[in-house]
Amino acid sequence: MLGLKLPTDPRWVNIVEKNIEEILTDHAFCEQKATSTAISLIVSFPEYTELVQEMTALVKEEISHFKMVHDKIIERGWVLGRDRRDDYVIALLKFFPKGGSRTTQLVHRLLYAALIEARSCERFRLLSEELEDKELAEFYRNLMVSEANHYTMFLGFARQYGEKKEVDTKWQQLLEYEAEIISNLGTSEAIHG
């Protein structure tokens, strides 16, 4: 369903289980960045009314997810650590060239967002199925559904605002590129790492 070309190695969960505090901190900042992305799309493309409406709802949802993760951190007696460098996103953002028309820029940003949400969904599914901490597994199962909805929403907007055939070609190329990136990751307790 997600179209990812390379699944996460299930052994990644073993890395995560050794340091739950790290994955929760990384996850909290992923939710904060998702909130920022939605706000950025509103600021950058205010003329797309339907997009603005959906991004406004997404801001509320993503910041509520941030709070949920932050609450998990507090419940466990920890504090939110500092943000970490996200090598996955940094590498991903190198795929599309800078510039182009406003529509092209919008489509590229929507495709990036769709892919990040798809990978997050896949990782949350893995956590929900493999974590020994059943309370946390259930937490990730519930979030997985939201991530899947976000993925389809961003991809749908890309196809709506761009030329569908061209968008689908770019999407497949981005998926191939992402598989190369993910093949070198999965060795740290990070949502995309």
Side-chain angles (χ1 to χ4, degrees):
M1 177 204 131
L2 297 171
L4 299 171
K5 302 294 184 187
L6 184 66
T8 297
D9 185 328
R11 293 175 294 185
W12 171 74
V13 177
N14 299 331
I15 296 166
V16 168
E17 286 192 309
K18 291 177 183 164
N19 200 339
I20 296 293
E21 185 175 1
E22 283 296 312
I23 195 72
L24 288 173
T25 292
D26 185 67
H27 180 189
F29 281 106
C30 287
E31 298 293 356
Q32 183 272 324
K33 290 169 190 166
T35 305
S36 296
T37 295
I39 292 169
S40 176
L41 285 167
I42 293 168
V43 171
S44 299
F45 303 98
E47 69 273 25
Y48 292 90
T49 302
E50 186 180 358
L51 179 70
V52 170
Q53 293 287 82
E54 289 297 322
M55 291 303 102
T56 301
L58 187 62
V59 166
K60 293 176 185 174
E61 184 177 352
E62 296 288 19
I63 204 66
S64 77
H65 290 173
F66 171 84
K67 180 172 179 1
M68 289 166 59
V69 179
H70 190 237
D71 287 348
K72 290 280 175 221
I73 292 168
I74 294 167
E75 285 168 14
R76 290 166 184 254
W78 302 322
V79 295
L80 180 64
R82 297 185 64 82
D83 189 12
R84 280 100 171 125
R85 174 185 161 101
D86 193 332
D87 291 329
Y88 170 81
V89 173
I90 291 167
L92 200 62
L93 292 176
K94 293 178 181 174
F95 182 73
F96 290 123
K98 300 278 185 231
S101 70
R102 280 181 55 72
T103 302
T104 297
Q105 290 174 37
L106 173 59
V107 166
H108 291 176
R109 287 176 65 180
L110 292 168
L111 290 177
Y112 284 135
L115 187 48
I116 291 166
E117 296 286 353
R119 182 56 71 180
S120 297
C121 179
E122 188 251 3
R123 292 277 172 103
F124 289 178
R125 180 194 57 76
L126 199 55
L127 292 170
S128 76
E129 293 173 355
E130 302 294 332
L131 277 175
E132 289 181 19
D133 181 329
K134 295 308 172 198
E135 185 258 339
L136 208 52
E138 181 64 23
F139 177 69
Y140 279 107
R141 184 173 295 107
N142 293 332
L143 287 177
M144 175 183 68
V145 175
S146 292
E147 299 304 304
N149 290 335
H150 301 165
Y151 147 73
T152 57
M153 176 188 62
F154 281 120
L155 189 55
F157 275 130
R159 289 174 173 151
Q160 178 180 333
Y161 298 133
E163 195 279 307
K164 187 180 181 320
K165 187 175 178 183
E166 182 181 331
V167 169
D168 287 344
T169 299
K170 286 180 178 183
W171 176 243
Q172 289 305 312
Q173 292 168 344
L174 184 58
L175 285 168
E176 293 290 341
Y177 178 76
E178 193 262 359
E180 292 175 31
I181 294 169
I182 212 70
S183 71
N184 296 314
L185 297 174
T187 58
S188 69
E189 57 282 293
I191 294 298
H192 302 117

